[in-house]
Amino acid sequence: MSQQRAVYQWMDTVARQIPQVRKSQAKVWAAFSWGVAVARRCSQRGVAEALPTLGKPDTVERRLQRFVANPRLDWRVGAQGLTAWILRRLHSPGPLVLLVDETSLQAHLKVMVVSLAYRGRALPLAWWCYRQTAWPMGQVALIRTLLHQVAPHVPAGCPVLVQADRGIGCSPDLLAAIEALGWFFLVRVQRTVRLQVAGREVAFGTLVPKPGARWAGAVRAFKKRGWRPCWAVGRWQGRYAQPWLLLTNWSQAQANWYGLRMWEEAAFRDLKSGGWQWHRSQIRSPAHANRLWLVLALASAWMSSVGTQVIRHPRLRREVTYGKRWRHSVLQLGLRLFTRWLALDRPLAADFAFIPHLPILPKTVGT
């Protein structure tokens, strides 16, 4: 299959799978994501040079610039279409894990992101870019807005676990918003958070006072908000400087589940130095950055889908790595196969296929 035919096939697939976006916009979006995967960077000039089949580099670059600058393209609508496509192709009998976190582009931009935990990484589903000193709304309202963008596309009956770190998760209003969606939460809180345990009031940190200690039980938290009932899980592994102190509404939850949140940090590295070089994009406008994130999210999802096939099929693994264990992420494995098959003029799968791997979570849910 020629590269030109493969590019156009991908453009047609994206336009068909995400009908919420105008066909002409969806095709540029798809071509942009293809170029990002080929160039392994998201600067518009570099991507344009990676798309010779679409025209002269200067002409293609202007098309990409117009996509990023187009005020008629609502990134939220595009993100919801991408989320729907990802979750339609998700073959998962167990819970979904959504990771909430914030990342920054030096001193220029911040981004609040809700991502799907996936095979050691995270797939962006909803996000909002803003300047360091100009929040679009309060933090809880912003996260609630992003979660509500994702919620309509979660398969019926599928349990959802939302994880967040101390800077985000220590809010009774956020926990109430998650529960209102019928979802579970598992959030890290500070040592000083007051708990009511068996009729006495204690600081959470005193229950897990030293390395090796652990504690779990039913508690009431957030004294100033009238003592919210929840479940507390604390664990201090010896190799860490601090304990994990977690609040949840899922009594089966274990401290090691919180390790999935670190996948978000790895995904942020993929967006920057480890993959798409977002920090070198030179895009500083929040509105433009939100549309660029559409491209990065689509490229990440596609390459992670390709990487999933590499992991699941020994023949494909032998093409891009060796041994039973490898040190490459699911995205990097996908990129390796994509690059190789492109060079060998072999057919590429122009669709998604996601098979999660969350062995530490139970397949049945209890409250």
Side-chain angles (χ1 to χ4, degrees):
M1 178 184 290
S2 70
Q3 181 173 163
Q4 183 175 23
R5 182 181 173 189
V7 171
Y8 281 103
Q9 184 183 62
W10 177 236
M11 292 165 66
D12 288 340
T13 297
V14 173
R16 184 176 64 256
Q17 293 290 345
I18 308 180
Q20 297 91 337
V21 175
R22 289 180 57 184
K23 191 172 183 179
S24 59
Q25 296 172 343
K27 288 191 171 186
V28 177
W29 180 11
F32 204 155
S33 70
W34 176 286
V36 166
V38 172
R40 302 199 183 192
R41 52 180 169 161
C42 64
S43 69
Q44 292 159 66
R45 178 173 298 180
V47 172
E49 292 171 355
L51 293 168
T53 60
L54 299 187
K56 296 184 295 185
D58 287 350
T59 301
V60 176
E61 185 177 358
R62 285 195 292 272
R63 289 177 66 186
L64 304 181
Q65 290 170 343
R66 287 195 294 270
F67 176 87
V68 169
N70 186 355
R72 294 185 298 278
L73 174 58
D74 188 333
W75 93 89
R76 291 163 294 193
V77 173
Q80 286 182 300
L82 178 59
T83 295
W85 186 11
I86 290 172
L87 297 185
R88 282 198 305 271
R89 294 292 188 267
L90 194 67
H91 304 282
S92 174
L96 301 182
V97 178
L98 299 182
L99 309 176
V100 181
D101 205 356
E102 184 182 55
T103 189
S104 62
L105 185 61
Q106 300 162 0
H108 306 291
L109 292 171
K110 285 191 173 184
V111 190
M112 186 68 74
V113 191
V114 173
S115 300
L116 175 69
Y118 188 77
R119 290 188 173 269
R121 290 299 190 268
L123 306 180
L125 301 181
W127 58 87
W128 200 306
C129 302
Y130 42 90
R131 298 200 185 280
Q132 296 268 19
T133 57
W135 280 68
M137 60 190 80
Q139 186 183 74
V140 172
L142 176 57
I143 297 171
R144 183 191 299 117
T145 298
L146 297 178
L147 293 175
H148 276 268
Q149 283 183 212
V150 174
H153 309 291
V154 173
C158 182
V160 177
L161 176 65
V162 179
Q163 295 192 6
D165 202 2
R166 287 172 293 189
I168 294 172
C170 196
S171 165
D173 290 335
L174 176 59
L175 305 189
I178 294 170
E179 278 198 314
L181 288 167
W183 294 350
F184 298 104
F185 59 80
L186 180 67
V187 299
R188 190 177 180 186
V189 297
Q190 293 91 341
R191 294 187 187 193
T192 55
V193 165
R194 307 298 292 180
L195 302 180
Q196 197 176 66
V197 183
R200 62 191 182 98
E201 182 181 329
V202 299
F204 199 164
T206 63
L207 299 176
V208 189
K210 59 184 180 179
R214 61 177 65 196
W215 190 90
V219 301
R220 293 178 180 271
F222 304 112
K223 179 179 181 179
K224 293 182 180 179
R225 301 301 297 271
W227 293 118
R228 176 187 182 85
C230 54
W231 190 264
V233 181
R235 183 179 181 183
W236 194 338
Q237 291 186 323
R239 66 180 184 272
Y240 295 136
Q242 297 183 21
W244 281 354
L245 304 176
L246 311 169
L247 295 179
T248 183
N249 58 339
W250 189 347
S251 61
Q252 289 179 271
Q254 301 174 20
N256 64 331
W257 295 8
Y258 187 72
L260 298 176
R261 202 203 66 80
M262 309 310 162
W263 294 6
E264 182 81 281
E265 301 294 337
F268 287 156
R269 289 197 298 272
D270 286 341
L271 289 164
K272 298 175 185 176
S273 59
W276 309 140
Q277 306 297 315
W278 174 48
H279 57 300
R280 297 180 178 175
S281 69
Q282 301 302 312
I283 291 177
R284 302 293 182 259
S285 159
H288 291 191
N290 278 319
R291 286 185 280 273
L292 179 63
W293 265 68
L294 279 174
V295 177
L296 304 184
L298 177 58
S300 295
W302 188 27
M303 288 302 102
S304 296
S305 173
V306 174
T308 300
Q309 306 316 306
V310 173
I311 291 171
R312 290 182 58 79
H313 299 290
R315 179 182 62 81
L316 297 181
R317 287 204 302 272
R318 288 193 292 270
E319 288 201 45
V320 298
T321 186
Y322 61 89
K324 294 183 178 180
R325 297 179 63 86
W326 53 88
R327 50 190 170 81
H328 310 292
S329 71
V330 64
L331 183 141
Q332 291 295 333
L333 290 171
L335 276 172
R336 284 187 164 207
L337 187 67
F338 174 76
T339 301
R340 177 174 171 80
W341 281 24
L342 209 58
L344 298 177
D345 199 27
R346 293 169 68 176
L348 298 157
D351 202 347
F352 291 158
F354 297 108
I355 303 173
H357 184 62
L358 299 169
I360 63 174
L361 265 65
K363 294 184 178 179
T364 59
V365 175
T367 56

